[in-house]
Amino acid sequence: MGSAITRSEPFGPVGELPGQIRVDRGKEFLCATVTAAMGALAVPVTDLPAYTPHLKGTIEALNDAVEEMFLVSLPRYTGRQKLTGGHPADPDAPPLTYEAFVGLLLDWVAWWNTRHHPSALNGKTPVEAWQADATPLTDVSAEQLATFALEDDGRTYTISTSGVRWRRRDYLAPWMNGRTGTKVSVRHLPHHDGTVEVFDTATGRHLGSAFLAAAASREQIRSVQAARTAAARRLKADLRAAEKLRRQRFEASTTAAPPRPLTSSTSAQAEEELGAVAQTDRRALARPDLVPHGPAPETWARPRPPRTPTADEETS
C-alpha cells in the first residue's frame, strides 16, 4: 500500500493517496494495522459484502488478465489444460526459478503499462491514460510514509553498545554510533521483524532503520524449517491415528437393547494403551534441562537418624 501511494522511483509515476480503501473481506487487510494506518491519513476503509466481485471489477479484470495472458505462457502452469490421462502438456519443461519468474512478471507489467493498448482507453496505454487524466492528486510526504502501517508496542527502549534490545534480540545500525543512552521507540512492519524503525522518544523524529544482529544463516533457516515440517507431519499422523482409534462403531439393532460396539480389545491391550498415555504425560512434565541439586553442604543441619532400640528395650 505504501508503494501504491508514493510516486517516486521505482514506483511512479502512477500513485497517490486514495479517497477510499475497499477490502474484499481479506483478514490480512481488515486487521487493525491497516485501519490505523489509513486512518492516520484520513482514508476510510470499507468492508465489502461477501461474494460481490462486481464492486471491485477493475481488480478482478486485472487478475484475470494476469492469469489468461501471462501465467498460461509459463512452463508447468497448473491451470493449463492437460493431455489424455491427466498428463501435463509440457512434462519435460524445466521449472522456473523464483528470480526468473519475478523477472518475467516485471517484464509483463512493463508491457501492460507502456505498450498495451486496451480498447477501453481509446488507443492509449495505461500510463498515457493516467498522465492525460486531469484529476488532482494528493501526495504523501516521505516522512509520513516512513511510519506507514508500522506497529508500536508503546514501550521505551535505550540504545546501548549492543544496539537496541527488542523482543530479546539485538538490532544494530551504523547511525547508532555516539547515541548510547538515547531513549527510543521501536516500530515494525507486521511479520517483518528482520528490520525495525527506530524513533527518538523525546522528539518523535525517525532516527533510522536497525537490522537484526547475529541473524541465522540460510542453511540454519532451512534446517529449522525442515525440522518444523517433520514435526508437523508427525503431529498430523498422530492426529489421524488418534481419530481412527477414537472412532467407535456399533452393531445394527433390530430390538430395543443397549448398543453393542463392534470393536473390542483385551484387558492387556487396554492396560498397555493406558500405560502409554501415562508415559506420554510424564514426558510432558519432565524437565531434562534442569540441573539436579548437588549434595548439601556439611554445615547444614541434617535430620537425626532413627535410633536403634537396645536389647533391654526390645525385651521390655
Side-chain angles (χ1 to χ4, degrees), residues 37-60:
M38 300 312 301
L41 299 176
V43 177
V45 178
T46 303
D47 181 13
L48 294 179
Y51 308 110
T52 54
H54 59 282
L55 297 180
K56 50 182 181 60
T58 303
I59 299 298
E60 293 291 338

Side-chain angles (χ1 to χ4, degrees), residues 10-308:
F11 308 107
V14 178
E16 70 148 339
L17 184 67
Q20 180 183 208
I21 296 291
R22 292 179 293 175
V23 181
D24 184 21
R25 303 186 67 82
K27 291 183 179 180
E28 66 272 25
F29 300 116
L30 288 175
C31 64
T33 302
V34 173
T35 304
M38 300 312 301
L41 299 176
V43 177
V45 178
T46 303
D47 181 13
L48 294 179
Y51 308 110
T52 54
H54 59 282
L55 297 180
K56 50 182 181 60
T58 303
I59 299 298
E60 293 291 338
L62 180 60
N63 291 338
D64 289 341
V66 172
E67 182 174 356
E68 297 174 4
M69 301 176 65
F70 171 67
L71 296 181
V72 295
S73 65
L74 300 180
R76 296 194 181 187
Y77 175 55
T78 57
R80 185 180 303 163
Q81 290 184 345
K82 293 181 173 54
L83 302 177
T84 304
H87 300 291
D90 54 351
D92 299 328
L96 286 175
T97 63
Y98 179 76
E99 294 82 357
F101 169 76
V102 172
L104 292 175
L105 178 58
L106 292 177
D107 292 340
W108 184 86
V109 171
W111 169 84
W112 176 275
N113 289 330
T114 61
R115 299 189 299 275
H116 178 50
H117 298 272
S119 58
L121 298 183
N122 300 321
K124 297 179 181 179
T125 65
V127 170
E128 291 173 344
W130 174 273
Q131 293 174 336
D133 194 327
T135 303
L137 303 178
T138 303
D139 290 322
V140 180
S141 64
E143 290 76 13
Q144 287 180 285
L145 287 179
T147 61
F148 184 73
L150 297 180
E151 289 189 350
D152 187 351
D153 58 8
R155 300 177 60 184
T156 300
Y157 300 88
T158 304
I159 297 179
S160 66
T161 55
S162 301
V164 175
R165 186 74 174 176
W166 182 69
R167 291 186 176 179
R168 298 185 300 173
R169 303 193 297 183
D170 293 324
Y171 288 80
L172 290 170
W175 58 263
M176 291 183 180
N177 292 333
R179 294 181 179 268
T180 302
T182 304
K183 301 296 182 180
V184 297
S185 60
V186 175
R187 302 179 187 176
H188 73 288
L189 192 65
H191 312 297
H192 295 74
D193 55 359
T195 304
V196 297
E197 304 298 329
V198 183
F199 296 79
D200 190 295
T201 303
T203 63
R205 186 169 62 91
H206 180 225
L207 299 178
S209 302
F211 306 93
L212 178 63
S217 63
R218 289 189 175 183
E219 291 73 16
Q220 290 175 318
I221 293 176
R222 290 194 191 100
S223 299
V224 171
Q225 291 294 343
R228 291 175 178 174
T229 301
R233 289 174 178 171
R234 289 194 300 268
L235 291 175
K236 289 179 180 178
D238 293 342
L239 179 59
R240 288 193 296 267
E243 286 293 332
K244 185 177 180 180
L245 292 174
R246 191 176 64 87
R247 190 180 301 117
Q248 192 172 9
R249 299 179 182 274
F250 297 88
E251 294 182 0
S253 299
T254 56
T255 59
R260 291 177 296 180
L262 284 174
T263 56
S264 60
S265 59
T266 64
S267 176
Q269 289 175 330
E271 292 295 335
E272 181 181 358
E273 186 167 345
L274 291 175
V277 172
Q279 183 67 17
T280 302
D281 294 339
R282 284 193 291 270
R283 286 199 206 97
L285 295 174
R287 299 293 299 277
D289 55 326
L290 294 179
V291 179
H293 294 291
E298 294 295 334
T299 56
W300 282 18
R302 288 175 171 76
R304 181 176 299 174
R307 187 175 63 85
T308 303

